[in-house]
Structure formats: C-alpha cells, structure tokens
Amino acid sequence: MNRIEGRVKVTGLATYAAEYPVEGVAYCYPVQSTIARGRVTGVDAGQALAMPGVLAVLSVEDPPDLAEDADPELALFRSRDVVYRGQLVAAVVAGTYDQARAAADAVRVAYQPQAHDVRLRADHPDLYRPETVNPNLPPDTDKGDVEAGLAAAASAVDVTYTTPPLHNNAMEPHAAVAVWADDGRLLVYDSTQGASGDRDSIAKTLGLPAGQVRVVSRHVGGGFGSKGTTRPNAVLAALAARAAGRPVKVVFTRQQMFDLTGYRTPTVQRLRLGADADGRLTAVEHTAYVQSSRIVEFAEQAATPGRVMYATPALRTAHRLVRLDVATPSWMRAPGECPGMYALESAMDELAEAAGIDPVELRIRNEPTTEPDGGLPFSSRSLVTCLREGARRFGWDRRDPAPGLRREGEWLVGTGVAASTYPARRGPSQATATVRDGDFVIRVAAADIGTGARTVLTRIAADCLGVAPDRVHVELGDSDLPAAPVAGGSMGTASWGSAVVRACEALRADGGEGSADTTEEVKADEELARHAFGAQFAEVRVSSVTGEIRLSRLLGVFAAGRVLDARLARSQFVGGMTMGMGMALMEETLTDDEFGGFLHRDLAQYHVPACADVPAIEAVWIDEQDGLLNPMGSKGIGEIGIVGAAAAIGNAVHHATGRRVRDLPITPAKILA
C-alpha cells in the first residue's frame, strides 16, 4: 500500500503541532539556566515586561499552581534549585515570536552557583545499584560461576567500550499549542508519541481530572523516543496560556531540544567473555555504567541483551548508576539494546578473533534452546537463519579472516557482522469499529510518528473485515479516541492492531458497531521469551592516509514475525540501520566539564548521516511464523534496525585496519591516533 497520509504530507496539508490555526495565539520563549548547579536567588523581569508585546513572565518568583506529586521534570518554576545547565528558570509570553525571544534576553536571573559534577566514569564514588532498570527489570542477574568459567576458558577477552551522549533530533521540533476553554477544559496540540499518556501526564501535572484535558497530535515528524513521554514544552504552553489569558504556542529551538527533551545516556561497559576450545561460551559478564540527573532516576538497561542472546553456563549482568548535574536521559530508539548490543557484539567479534573462529560461526555455535537467563522458551527465534542468509547474500565465504590485508590503493577494505535483537511486546489498547455510509471507521488513539501507523492499521482492519483498504478510514492521534499505548518500545502496531482486530471481529458479529479492550487478553498472554532477531553485515573502506571511513555496503536480515506491509517495513529497517551508522561513525555530544551542559547543540556540530553516506543499504527479512504473539503474528520493527548496526561497522573497521576502536564514534582522528 501507499501511505494513507502520503498525499497530505507531500502537498503540505498535514498539520503538525505548531501549525494548527488558533485565533489570537501568543508565543512563549524560555529562559535557561547558565549554571550547572546552584540556586536561583532572583529573577528581574522589569525590563522584559516593559518591552513591546510582552504579556507575562513566568518564573520562580511567582510559582505556578501545580500538583505536589508532579514529575520533577514537568514541575516548572516550582523550585529555585538548578540541577543542570540549560534548565528552564523563566519564560516570556508575547504577541509575536520575535517579541518573546527579545524579551527573554532581557530577563535577568541571579544565581548562587555550586560546584558541579557532570562526568560519568566507571570508578565514580557515587555509583550505586538501582532497584530496577528500564522498563521494570532487575538491575543484576547471576547464573553459574563466572570466575570458574573464565578460568577454564581456552580463549577469553576482558574489554571496555564507551558510547557518548546521543540525541534524538527528530525533524519536527518539540512543540505545543495550548488553548484554555471558558469551562476550564484544556486543549493541547502537542508533538507526542502517545496522546492518551500525554493527556494523563499533563492533567496530573496541572492537578486536573484527565477528562478535562484533550491532546491532539494527528501528525508527528519523528520522535525516536524523545516524544514518548510528556516534555516541558506541553506544560509550559499550558502555564503560559493560563498566565496570558489567550492561546500560547511553544516551539523549542534545535539548541533547546538538546537540553530539554532527553538524550541517550553515555555508557561505560565492561565485558568479560570466555570460550572453550570448540568456541562454546563458558562465561559472560556484562557490567554497564550509566548516568541520570539529580531530580529523576532514569536507569538505561544496557546490560540486558546478554540475558537473551547466547547459551552459556555462567552469566552475570549488572548496572551501576550515578546521579550527576546533568539533564535527565530519556528514551532513544532501542534504549538498552542499542548501546548494550554494540558492546556485546563487539566483544563477540574480539572473542572470535582470539579463538580463531569465524564470527558468524561463533554466534551459531552458541545458539541457545531457551532464554539463557530465565530459561523461558522462545515464542520463535530465527537468529541462525538470519546469520546464514545474511552471510550468503553478503558473500561472507569470500572473506579473508585476517585483518588489515585487503587494500585498494590507499583504501583498506574490511567486513564485519553483528547480531540484533529487540523484545516483541504488546500493551493493552482500546479501539472501535463502526459502519459509516457503507465504509468502515476505525478509531484508536494511536500515534503516527512517520512510521505509517495509519496505513498498517488500515491494512489490518481491511484484512479482518474482508474489504478493500479504501473502504477503511482510520482516526488516530487524539486523546478523546479510545485509549491506546505509546508509539514506542516496538509495540505500537502489536498493541493497537490487536485491539483493531478484536473491534472488527465484534463489528462482524454485531453488524453495526464493535469495540474492544485488550487489557484482559494481554494479561492472559503465555509467559514466553518474545523477541525479534536479526543479523547485520557491513563493508567499510578506510583511508590509510587520512583515516577517513566510508561505508560501502550495509545489509540487514531480520526475523520479525509476519511483516504486515513490505514498503513500511523496509523503511523502518533502513531508517534504523542508517541511525546505527550515525552512532558508529558520527554522532556524539561532548559534555562541558567546566560549565556543564553540552558543547554540541545543533546539527551543524552534531552530525547525522545522509543517504549519500552509504551507497548500498539493503534490508530483507525471512518468513517467520509466530502465532503466540498477537492476532497478526507480528513483531515490532521500529527499533531492531539500529541494534547491531554500530557493532557490525566497528567490527568491519577493525577487519580493515587491524585496529580496534572501542570508543564511539569511530572518527579519522581515532584511526590515526
């Protein structure tokens, strides 16, 4: 199918959060802290209030009325404490955007600064073990005798990898327009990955009943996790509109997004792996060190992939967290699995070299029959098929295993492989299906964040109803529709689609209207290990003169249950793989030790890949039947494409050069160092 919303997007008719036509709208521009830690001792708004068009100044001098249990990230202007550089400390509302921005520059904020600490390191004295890691997993696991397994190993590696802070950088900035009605009801046009949850969060923050808030988000220009939870732009718009007595628009600049909308935590990851003479693992230990802010604990689950990947008699995983004077990390595409599998799959490559075994073969030899950590049976697992099919397509059998040998002029050429995995979850969702003028209307508060949710839900409903897709009309992106979970965790289609199928089944049985709530169905799901798997192969060319790295080929082979729409699936896989390329070779944010905050704060400094950066990128999938997941037999595909890509590229760079760069991104300077 072509995308349902394709025409309105290419003709400019699709309306995004900041574009809704609201009469009398004013503009709000934030004032951010210039210190990393301390207290606000005063806010002088006199000069700003005297400037043309200024309607109000919000700050800690007049704290807004918010719920006592509001999320600290959203409890704006309630505390004088500054916990990171770039924190919102005031905001100006004015008749035009330019007036608001100019007046924001005139607000004078006085501080009492304190010494700050913004650097993650594995020996930080304040590291601790969190009670859980995301989403609600044990921080540590321990099976078997790791030390004995390492001691008995014929080959072993003990290596540490680091990843820098990474930023989501969706094309559409975080934006919101807030409109208060005379009856006290609040309408927020927000750029969000989940209207239902966003409504509940905004209502809780403002101390309102959920039914008094409506969130509309019909088109979203990407999110990659950063719009999966309510961000300050939505609450700021609501507070500013209440203060100004008229609708208010907030659009964060690219620089403000680096401070205020989350990021992927940097990681330090130590892995110890051992294998016997046949290449079978004797022990795996994976310890991840991550950071969070002083105000909210966000513990990324970077060490969890090892719990599902490879058979080993001894397995230990651990997470240690430190609270620093930094903004709170948040969800970013494939949180946990993305940085964790980079480290694990790089270490597996090093172990393969130490053992003298082909990297594809090493992974195949360590294929488990059940989940290595918990012992649960897999609903389906086709990693070996992906590895073998990928090796066949990539021409892996022609590869010389020795690194640093293949040369074309000044260019060193190498190839690498890595596995991919991501959980296949679903959550409770509601949906309705009705007949209107001979067609069918599906209503569900899902979010289309550019992934094609409208299209795939149309296809699911049409298949279930036995009608042509053009007779199905999907309404989504509105919290007044039947409640639905967030577009995140690669569970959107599985969750919403399950409810749509059940609603269509009810419609067919009733004839006029069908509704569904899958809460009890999801609770009754059999306890199984549900995961998508894949294998990624990369070919790189590295200049022996400049250290420049060119990615010439990238192949991903995936097993993700039933693929519901080939065009949408390829788009998601290729997008994830491209994002993994950026992680491997370009993307990083530098932390400013002296002043706090981030030094790379826009797309002139934070580099992301373009289509010209990889001449050949191919994503394919195998036919995997899994009837234990959901009515469609599908697994999520939005995130698995990024998992493994960075490791495959890093392993290819090592094969080309003979040098192992363990600190991302892999840059020419690191190659030449």
Side-chain angles (χ1 to χ4, degrees), residues 202-469:
I202 294 170
K204 177 184 176 182
T205 303
L206 299 176
L208 299 173
Q212 204 168 328
V213 177
R214 180 187 179 194
V215 171
V216 174
S217 185
R218 295 192 179 95
H219 295 280
V220 182
F224 311 109
S226 69
K227 298 173 184 175
T229 56
T230 302
R231 306 310 305 175
N233 55 288
V235 175
L236 180 59
L239 295 177
R242 189 161 62 185
R246 57 193 276 191
V248 167
K249 179 184 298 188
V250 173
V251 181
F252 284 162
T253 65
R254 185 66 59 181
Q255 292 83 359
Q256 290 163 354
M257 286 167 57
F258 273 76
D259 297 324
L260 299 170
T261 61
Y263 60 97
R264 196 193 301 281
T265 175
T267 70
V268 179
Q269 301 179 64
R270 183 186 180 192
L271 285 107
R272 296 197 296 161
L273 278 63
D276 63 19
D278 294 325
R280 289 180 172 81
L281 290 166
T282 58
V284 173
E285 181 184 57
H286 188 173
T287 303
Y289 303 90
V290 296
Q291 73 183 33
S292 193
S293 69
R294 303 271 184 197
I295 54 173
V296 173
E297 181 184 271
F298 185 92
E300 182 143 344
Q301 68 280 23
T304 58
R307 301 175 187 178
V308 304
M309 282 306 298
Y310 300 115
T312 176
L315 172 63
R316 181 186 298 148
T317 65
H319 296 82
R320 296 298 178 264
L321 180 68
V322 63
R323 310 284 287 273
L324 300 172
D325 304 306
V326 296
T328 307
S330 187
W331 310 98
M332 186 170 178
R333 199 173 199 166
E337 279 74 14
C338 180
M341 282 291 282
Y342 157 68
L344 176 61
E345 291 301 293
S346 299
M348 285 290 287
D349 198 69
E350 297 205 46
L351 182 64
E353 184 178 27
I357 299 174
D358 178 82
V360 171
E361 178 62 25
L362 179 69
R363 289 167 171 82
I364 293 173
R365 290 186 191 182
N366 289 283
E367 175 71 1
T369 55
T370 59
E371 190 179 45
D373 180 49
L376 289 173
F378 289 97
S379 65
S380 60
R381 180 182 170 111
S382 304
L383 174 59
V384 170
T385 304
C386 292
L387 286 164
R388 287 179 171 153
E389 176 63 13
R392 184 191 69 81
R393 287 174 174 266
F394 203 71
W396 191 259
D397 60 340
R398 300 190 297 272
R399 179 186 195 255
D400 187 329
L405 296 183
R406 186 178 168 191
R407 193 179 188 115
E408 297 176 4
E410 73 176 69
W411 297 94
L412 303 168
V413 182
T415 54
V417 64
S420 304
T421 188
Y422 201 76
R425 304 185 180 98
R426 68 169 174 162
S429 182
Q430 300 173 11
T432 63
T434 57
V435 178
R436 184 177 66 192
D437 299 329
D439 284 351
F440 300 89
V441 178
I442 307 298
R443 293 185 174 93
V444 56
D448 195 330
I449 60 174
T451 53
R454 280 182 183 81
T455 306
V456 76
L457 292 177
T458 297
R459 187 162 197 154
I460 289 170
D463 287 349
C464 187
L465 294 169
V467 300

Side-chain angles (χ1 to χ4, degrees), residues 556-640:
V557 181
F558 302 98
R562 177 190 170 204
V563 171
L564 300 173
D565 187 282
R567 186 174 296 172
L568 296 177
R570 184 183 182 278
S571 175
Q572 285 299 291
F573 288 139
V574 168
M577 293 163 66
T578 305
M579 204 166 168
M581 174 193 171
M583 174 184 177
L585 302 178
M586 304 174 186
E587 296 184 45
E588 67 174 332
T589 305
L590 301 179
T591 301
D592 189 332
D593 287 331
E594 184 176 3
F595 297 107
F598 298 121
L599 292 172
H600 291 177
R601 301 180 66 247
D602 57 38
L603 294 179
Q605 301 164 311
Y606 187 94
H607 296 163
V608 297
C611 56
D613 287 312
V614 53
I617 183 167
E618 182 182 10
V620 297
W621 49 89
I622 65 170
D623 182 21
E624 184 179 57
Q625 303 296 320
D626 191 333
L628 301 173
L629 298 167
N630 52 62
M632 300 81 64
S634 64
K635 297 178 179 179
I637 58 174
E639 290 165 286
I640 192 171

